[in-house]
């Protein structure tokens, strides 16, 4: 059996409604096989989530594309990503947004992601081992925030660190999760539900 290629994945994403050519090109340009274990590398271009160890997953390419498409509508100059994981979503963002900041609570995943991005020559990414629930205060405000793990509630610290006019994409909920798009307009926020999703939980506090 032949494995799915980058072009086939792009075609699938187009059929699912992804229209932004910049996003499709960014996805086609990231060798997803580098972000998973060699044993499952043949599945890397499939439109599915895959395990990355520690009970975590690299997100489904369609979800990565959807979140990225919504996030870059206002041409953000900076983005905070909470939940680096494999660094795959980070690599997609790094091609579209000038300054990328990414926080991960599992040291070993953070270390591997950093090495992958260095190897692929992405130099506009700053990474940190830390609790993303608290954001990254010294680098705030961010024009965009993307959370790649499901939060029980919207973390107030992340809303604080979002720039005026900025956009945050975050899955919220436990069993039934919704992907929310939150826009900050002065002291107000506008919320839109983008759809039902299934992410691993965002775990506040303790690091490993
Ligand atoms: N975007 C990732 C998806 C990773 S899964 C990718 O493309 O591979 C979600 C990640 O969020 C996991 O690696 C998990 O360890 C991390 N995470 C969960 N709670 C966190 C927290 N409070 N702070 C930072 N990272 C967290």
């Amino acid at each position: 059996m032949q494995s799915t290629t980058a072009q086939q994945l792009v075609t699938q994403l187009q059929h699912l409604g992804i229209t932004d050519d910049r996003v499709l090109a960014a996805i086609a340009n990231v060798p997803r096989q580098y972000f998973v274990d060699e044993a499952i590398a043949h599945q890397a271009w499939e439109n599915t989530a895959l395990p990355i160890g520690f009970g975590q997953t690299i997100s489904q390419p369609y979800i990565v594309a959807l979140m990225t498409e919504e996030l870059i509508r206002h041409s953000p100059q900076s983005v905070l990503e909470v939940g680096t994981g494999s660094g795959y979503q980070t690599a997609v963002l790094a091609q579209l947004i000038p300054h990328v900041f990414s926080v991960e609570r599992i040291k070993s995943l953070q270390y591997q992601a950093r090495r992958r991005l260095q190897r692929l020559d992405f130099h506009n990414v700053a990474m940190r081992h830390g609790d993303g629930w608290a954001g990254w205060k010294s680098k705030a405000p961010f024009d965009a925030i993307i959370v790649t793990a499901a939060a029980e509630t919207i973390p107030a610290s992340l809303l604080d660190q979002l720039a005026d006019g900025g956009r945050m994409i975050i899955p919220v909920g436990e069993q039934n999760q919704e992907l929310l798009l939150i826009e900050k307009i002065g002291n107000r926020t506008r919320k839109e539900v983008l759809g039902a999703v299934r992410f691993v939980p965002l775990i506040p506090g303790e690091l490993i």
Side-chain angles (χ1 to χ4, degrees):
M1 194 185 74
Q2 235 191 340
S3 54
T4 320
T5 64
Q7 188 46 52
Q8 285 170 314
L9 176 62
V10 164
T11 306
Q12 283 180 39
L13 297 179
Q14 284 172 319
H15 286 151
L16 290 167
I18 304 298
T19 56
D20 191 323
D21 287 336
R22 296 169 300 169
V23 175
L24 293 167
I27 297 240
N29 204 27
V30 179
R32 197 165 178 252
Q33 64 274 20
Y34 289 0
F35 292 80
V36 295
D37 197 86
E38 230 176 294
I40 53 169
H42 63 285
Q43 287 177 275
W45 291 100
E46 287 175 16
N47 186 25
T48 51
L50 294 169
I52 55 170
F54 302 90
Q56 308 303 319
T57 52
I58 180 171
S59 307
Q60 182 192 12
Y62 169 63
I63 295 294
V64 172
L66 179 75
M67 290 171 90
T68 307
E69 192 170 60
E70 288 297 338
L71 206 65
I72 65 167
R73 269 192 218 287
H74 291 316
S75 305
Q77 295 301 299
S78 62
V79 61
L80 171 68
E81 177 189 38
V82 173
T84 315
S86 68
Y88 177 72
Q89 169 83 69
T90 326
V92 172
L93 294 171
Q95 296 172 74
L96 302 165
I97 303 178
H99 304 286
V100 180
F101 300 89
S102 188
V103 185
E104 169 58 52
R105 72 180 276 273
I106 301 177
K107 179 76 194 163
S108 165
L109 289 179
Q110 195 254 338
Y111 176 76
Q112 291 175 53
R114 188 194 293 273
R115 290 196 40 179
R116 288 185 185 113
L117 292 188
Q118 278 170 353
R119 177 176 169 199
L120 293 171
D121 268 343
F122 288 112
H123 296 298
N124 57 334
V125 179
M127 288 183 168
R128 191 177 145 223
H129 178 227
D131 178 12
W133 186 280
W136 191 337
K137 208 170 174 192
S138 63
K139 307 287 184 189
F142 304 97
D143 294 339
I145 297 180
I146 178 169
V147 182
T148 68
E152 273 179 36
T153 57
I154 300 166
S157 43
L158 294 186
L159 268 185
D160 283 347
Q161 292 174 29
L162 191 61
D164 193 6
R167 295 184 140 209
M168 168 154 75
I169 307 255
I170 179 169
V172 175
E174 287 172 69
Q175 293 296 13
N176 299 312
Q177 302 171 7
E178 282 182 331
L179 187 61
L180 300 184
L181 166 64
I182 298 164
E183 274 184 285
K184 187 165 170 179
I185 310 142
N187 292 328
R188 292 185 311 114
T189 53
R190 193 186 76 88
K191 247 184 251 173
E192 188 183 325
V193 179
L194 298 177
V197 283
R198 199 166 179 84
F199 278 86
V200 295
L202 181 71
I203 302 167
E206 184 204 355
L207 303 181
I208 57 173

